[in-house]
Protein backbone atom coordinates (compact mmCIF):
# COMPACT_ATOMS: atom_id res chain seq x y z
CA UNK A 1 0.00 0.00 0.00
CA UNK A 2 1.03 3.62 -0.65
CA UNK A 3 1.04 4.58 3.07
CA UNK A 4 3.47 1.75 3.83
CA UNK A 5 5.81 2.79 1.02
CA UNK A 6 5.74 6.39 2.23
CA UNK A 7 6.67 5.28 5.75
CA UNK A 8 9.56 3.19 4.47
CA UNK A 9 10.81 6.13 2.42
CA UNK A 10 10.66 8.47 5.43
CA UNK A 11 12.47 5.88 7.55
CA UNK A 12 15.26 5.56 4.97
CA UNK A 13 15.65 9.15 3.75
CA UNK A 14 14.79 11.20 6.82
CA UNK A 15 15.81 8.62 9.45
CA UNK A 16 12.54 9.24 11.33
CA UNK A 17 12.25 6.70 14.18
CA UNK A 18 9.77 3.91 13.52
CA UNK A 19 7.84 4.72 16.70
CA UNK A 20 7.11 8.25 15.45
CA UNK A 21 5.98 6.88 12.09
CA UNK A 22 3.64 4.40 13.76
CA UNK A 23 2.70 6.81 16.56
CA UNK A 24 2.96 4.23 19.35
CA UNK A 25 5.41 2.38 21.58
CA UNK A 26 4.63 -0.53 23.88
CA UNK A 27 5.87 -0.50 27.48
CA UNK A 28 4.90 -2.96 30.23
CA UNK A 29 2.25 -4.48 27.94
CA UNK A 30 0.51 -1.14 27.26
CA UNK A 31 0.55 0.85 24.04
CA UNK A 32 1.54 4.51 24.49
CA UNK A 33 1.04 7.32 22.00
CA UNK A 34 4.37 8.93 21.06
CA UNK A 35 5.11 11.96 18.89
CA UNK A 36 8.27 14.03 18.31
CA UNK A 37 7.19 16.07 21.37
CA UNK A 38 8.17 13.18 23.67
CA UNK A 39 11.18 10.95 24.17
CA UNK A 40 10.53 7.45 22.83
CA UNK A 41 10.30 5.06 25.83
CA UNK A 42 12.93 2.31 25.70
CA UNK A 43 12.74 -1.23 27.02
CA UNK A 44 15.46 -0.19 29.51
CA UNK A 45 12.72 1.64 31.39
CA UNK A 46 10.80 -1.63 31.79
CA UNK A 47 13.83 -2.99 33.68
CA UNK A 48 13.66 0.01 36.03
CA UNK A 49 9.93 -0.46 36.62
CA UNK A 50 10.35 -4.20 37.22
CA UNK A 51 13.13 -3.52 39.75
CA UNK A 52 10.92 -1.03 41.62
CA UNK A 53 8.09 -3.58 41.72
CA UNK A 54 10.50 -6.32 42.86
CA UNK A 55 11.47 -4.34 45.99
CA UNK A 56 8.01 -5.10 47.43
CA UNK A 57 7.19 -1.42 47.90
CA UNK A 58 3.46 -0.63 48.13
CA UNK A 59 3.29 3.11 47.46
CA UNK A 60 0.05 4.99 48.07
CA UNK A 61 1.47 8.18 46.56
CA UNK A 62 3.75 8.22 43.50
CA UNK A 63 5.55 11.13 41.84
CA UNK A 64 7.17 10.80 38.40
CA UNK A 65 9.45 13.69 37.43
CA UNK A 66 10.25 14.38 33.73
CA UNK A 67 7.29 12.19 32.76
CA UNK A 68 7.44 12.68 28.97
CA UNK A 69 4.90 10.30 27.44
CA UNK A 70 3.68 9.44 30.94
CA UNK A 71 4.66 5.78 30.54
CA UNK A 72 6.35 5.48 33.96
CA UNK A 73 3.56 7.14 35.98
CA UNK A 74 0.82 5.28 34.10
CA UNK A 75 2.54 1.86 34.26
CA UNK A 76 3.14 2.21 38.00
CA UNK A 77 -0.40 3.45 38.64
CA UNK A 78 -1.87 0.50 36.72
CA UNK A 79 0.25 -1.94 38.73
CA UNK A 80 0.09 -0.44 42.24
CA UNK A 81 -3.37 1.20 42.13
CA UNK A 82 -2.14 4.04 44.40
CA UNK A 83 -4.35 6.73 45.91
CA UNK A 84 -2.38 9.46 44.13
CA UNK A 85 -0.05 9.36 41.12
CA UNK A 86 1.38 12.53 39.61
CA UNK A 87 3.57 13.01 36.55
CA UNK A 88 5.36 16.33 35.95
CA UNK A 89 7.14 17.77 32.94
CA UNK A 90 8.41 21.21 31.98
CA UNK A 91 7.16 20.73 28.41
CA UNK A 92 3.50 21.59 27.80
CA UNK A 93 3.59 19.67 24.49
CA UNK A 94 4.89 16.55 26.23
CA UNK A 95 2.13 16.89 28.84
CA UNK A 96 -0.52 16.91 26.10
CA UNK A 97 0.72 13.48 25.00
CA UNK A 98 0.98 12.24 28.61
CA UNK A 99 -2.58 13.37 29.28
CA UNK A 100 -3.79 11.62 26.13
CA UNK A 101 -2.12 8.40 27.30
CA UNK A 102 -3.52 8.85 30.81
CA UNK A 103 -7.05 9.43 29.57
CA UNK A 104 -6.88 6.22 27.52
CA UNK A 105 -5.04 3.96 29.98
CA UNK A 106 -5.33 5.29 33.54
CA UNK A 107 -7.44 8.43 34.09
CA UNK A 108 -6.55 8.67 37.80
CA UNK A 109 -3.00 9.84 36.97
CA UNK A 110 -2.65 13.61 37.22
CA UNK A 111 -0.19 15.42 34.95
CA UNK A 112 1.06 18.89 35.86
CA UNK A 113 3.43 21.37 34.27
CA UNK A 114 6.39 21.78 36.60
CA UNK A 115 10.14 22.30 36.44
CA UNK A 116 10.94 19.27 38.60
CA UNK A 117 9.46 20.01 42.08
CA UNK A 118 8.48 23.62 41.28
CA UNK A 119 4.68 23.10 41.34
CA UNK A 120 4.61 19.89 43.39
CA UNK A 121 2.90 19.73 46.79
CA UNK A 122 2.82 17.05 49.47
CA UNK A 123 5.00 14.04 50.17
CA UNK A 124 5.30 10.73 48.34
CA UNK A 125 6.20 7.11 49.07
CA UNK A 126 7.92 6.75 45.70
CA UNK A 127 9.63 9.45 43.64
CA UNK A 128 10.91 8.19 40.31
CA UNK A 129 12.59 9.90 37.37
CA UNK A 130 14.18 9.19 34.02
CA UNK A 131 15.64 12.67 33.57
CA UNK A 132 17.77 13.98 30.68
CA UNK A 133 21.19 12.44 31.32
CA UNK A 134 23.28 12.68 28.16
CA UNK A 135 26.06 15.28 28.27
CA UNK A 136 25.64 18.29 25.96
CA UNK A 137 28.74 17.20 24.03
CA UNK A 138 27.47 13.62 23.55
CA UNK A 139 24.08 14.96 22.38
CA UNK A 140 25.80 16.37 19.31
CA UNK A 141 27.21 12.92 18.46
CA UNK A 142 23.97 10.93 18.74
CA UNK A 143 22.64 8.95 15.78
CA UNK A 144 20.39 11.01 13.46
CA UNK A 145 17.23 9.19 14.62
CA UNK A 146 17.77 10.55 18.11
CA UNK A 147 19.66 13.82 17.51
CA UNK A 148 17.41 15.13 14.72
CA UNK A 149 14.02 13.85 15.83
CA UNK A 150 13.70 13.30 19.58
CA UNK A 151 13.23 16.37 21.82
CA UNK A 152 16.61 17.69 22.99
CA UNK A 153 14.87 18.93 26.15
CA UNK A 154 14.43 15.26 27.13
CA UNK A 155 18.02 14.29 26.31
CA UNK A 156 20.44 17.04 27.37
CA UNK A 157 21.71 16.59 30.93
CA UNK A 158 24.02 19.65 30.64
CA UNK A 159 27.82 19.64 30.96
CA UNK A 160 28.37 16.38 32.85
CA UNK A 161 24.97 14.75 32.33
CA UNK A 162 24.27 14.88 36.07
CA UNK A 163 22.54 18.26 36.34
CA UNK A 164 19.02 16.89 36.93
CA UNK A 165 20.10 14.11 39.32
CA UNK A 166 21.95 16.71 41.39
CA UNK A 167 18.91 19.00 41.56
CA UNK A 168 16.38 16.23 42.27
CA UNK A 169 18.54 14.64 44.99
CA UNK A 170 19.11 18.02 46.65
CA UNK A 171 15.37 18.81 46.79
CA UNK A 172 13.83 15.34 47.18
CA UNK A 173 13.95 15.20 50.98
CA UNK A 174 11.21 17.83 51.16
CA UNK A 175 8.86 15.63 49.11
CA UNK A 176 9.74 12.08 50.15
CA UNK A 177 8.04 10.37 53.08
CA UNK A 178 10.28 8.80 55.75
CA UNK A 179 11.15 5.31 54.55
CA UNK A 180 10.17 6.21 50.99
CA UNK A 181 12.09 5.41 47.82
CA UNK A 182 13.85 7.64 45.29
CA UNK A 183 14.50 5.75 42.03
CA UNK A 184 16.37 6.89 38.93
CA UNK A 185 16.99 5.54 35.47
CA UNK A 186 20.63 6.35 34.66
CA UNK A 187 23.17 6.27 31.86
CA UNK A 188 25.46 3.21 31.78
CA UNK A 189 28.41 5.08 33.34
CA UNK A 190 26.58 7.19 35.95
CA UNK A 191 25.82 4.65 38.68
CA UNK A 192 28.59 5.46 41.14
CA UNK A 193 28.24 9.23 40.72
CA UNK A 194 24.47 9.14 41.39
CA UNK A 195 24.89 6.65 44.27
CA UNK A 196 27.50 8.88 45.94
CA UNK A 197 25.33 11.99 45.56
CA UNK A 198 22.40 10.17 47.18
CA UNK A 199 24.51 8.90 50.08
CA UNK A 200 26.01 12.35 50.65
CA UNK A 201 22.44 13.70 50.85
CA UNK A 202 21.52 11.21 53.57
CA UNK A 203 19.88 8.42 51.55
CA UNK A 204 20.34 4.90 52.91
CA UNK A 205 20.43 1.46 51.31
CA UNK A 206 21.40 2.89 47.90
CA UNK A 207 21.73 0.21 45.22
CA UNK A 208 22.85 0.18 41.59
CA UNK A 209 20.97 -2.25 39.35
CA UNK A 210 21.85 -3.48 35.85
CA UNK A 211 19.68 -3.97 32.78
CA UNK A 212 19.45 -7.15 30.68
CA UNK A 213 22.54 -6.09 28.68
CA UNK A 214 24.53 -5.98 31.94
CA UNK A 215 24.78 -2.18 31.90
CA UNK A 216 24.09 -0.10 35.00
CA UNK A 217 20.59 1.26 34.47
CA UNK A 218 19.08 2.24 37.81
CA UNK A 219 19.96 3.67 41.20
Amino acid sequence: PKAYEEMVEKRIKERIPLQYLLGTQEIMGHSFVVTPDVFIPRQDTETVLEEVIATGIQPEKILDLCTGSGCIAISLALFFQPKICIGTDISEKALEIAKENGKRLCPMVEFIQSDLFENVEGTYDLIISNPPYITSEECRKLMPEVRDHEPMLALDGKDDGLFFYRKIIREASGYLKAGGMLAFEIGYDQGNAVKEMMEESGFHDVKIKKDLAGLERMV
Side-chain angles (χ1 to χ4, degrees):
K2 191 162 180 278
Y4 176 77
E5 287 173 7
E6 284 173 0
M7 274 193 190
V8 171
E9 195 166 331
K10 281 183 177 178
R11 181 75 191 95
I12 294 167
K13 289 186 177 175
E14 299 175 48
R15 302 282 288 272
I16 297 173
L18 181 63
Q19 293 90 337
Y20 289 153
L21 292 171
L22 297 174
T24 60
Q25 168 73 327
E26 189 168 297
I27 290 287
M28 300 295 281
H30 306 289
S31 182
F32 290 86
V33 172
V34 291
T35 73
D37 290 320
V38 297
F39 177 74
I40 298 166
R42 268 63 166 180
Q43 265 58 50
D44 302 327
T45 298
E46 289 188 333
T47 304
V48 175
L49 296 173
E50 286 163 1
E51 285 286 354
V52 168
I53 290 165
T55 64
I57 191 173
Q58 292 293 323
E60 291 192 348
K61 293 178 71 181
I62 298 171
L63 175 64
D64 171 30
L65 302 172
C66 310
T67 196
S69 67
C71 69
I72 289 177
I74 291 166
S75 297
L76 291 175
L78 287 167
F79 184 84
F80 287 119
Q81 301 290 309
K83 289 179 181 174
I84 292 171
C85 185
I86 294 173
T88 77
D89 208 287
I90 197 168
S91 165
E92 288 284 6
K93 287 184 176 179
L95 286 169
E96 285 175 22
I97 304 302
K99 286 172 182 174
E100 187 179 337
N101 283 319
K103 194 173 169 184
R104 205 165 37 85
L105 295 167
C106 193
M108 66 79 61
V109 180
E110 182 186 356
F111 292 102
I112 60 173
Q113 197 277 333
S114 182
D115 182 359
L116 302 181
F117 293 108
E118 182 188 26
N119 297 320
V120 173
E121 294 177 357
T123 55
Y124 299 83
D125 305 293
L126 170 62
I127 298 175
I128 187 166
S129 185
N130 178 16
Y133 59 66
I134 301 170
T135 66
S136 299
E137 187 182 348
E138 286 298 319
C139 281
R140 293 190 283 274
K141 302 175 189 172
L142 293 168
M143 65 177 80
E145 282 85 345
V146 180
R147 186 189 65 230
D148 299 340
H149 298 286
E150 296 201 61
M152 202 49 66
L153 194 63
L155 298 168
D156 191 343
K158 314 283 186 186
D159 292 345
D160 62 358
L162 298 169
F163 175 85
F164 293 98
Y165 299 112
R166 208 173 275 119
K167 201 162 190 291
I168 292 168
I169 291 165
R170 194 168 59 236
E171 298 175 16
S173 59
Y175 300 90
L176 194 64
K177 286 187 180 175
M181 181 191 295
L182 177 61
F184 289 115
E185 181 169 332
I186 58 162
Y188 71 95
D189 58 351
Q190 295 173 322
N192 284 328
V194 174
K195 182 176 188 277
E196 283 171 16
M197 282 193 283
M198 289 177 75
E199 287 173 343
E200 284 167 10
S201 287
F203 285 89
H204 301 281
D205 198 23
V206 184
K207 293 187 175 75
I208 300 170
K209 298 284 185 176
K210 293 181 178 179
D211 61 18
L212 295 174
L215 300 172
E216 292 181 350
R217 184 58 56 197
M218 174 189 179
V219 180

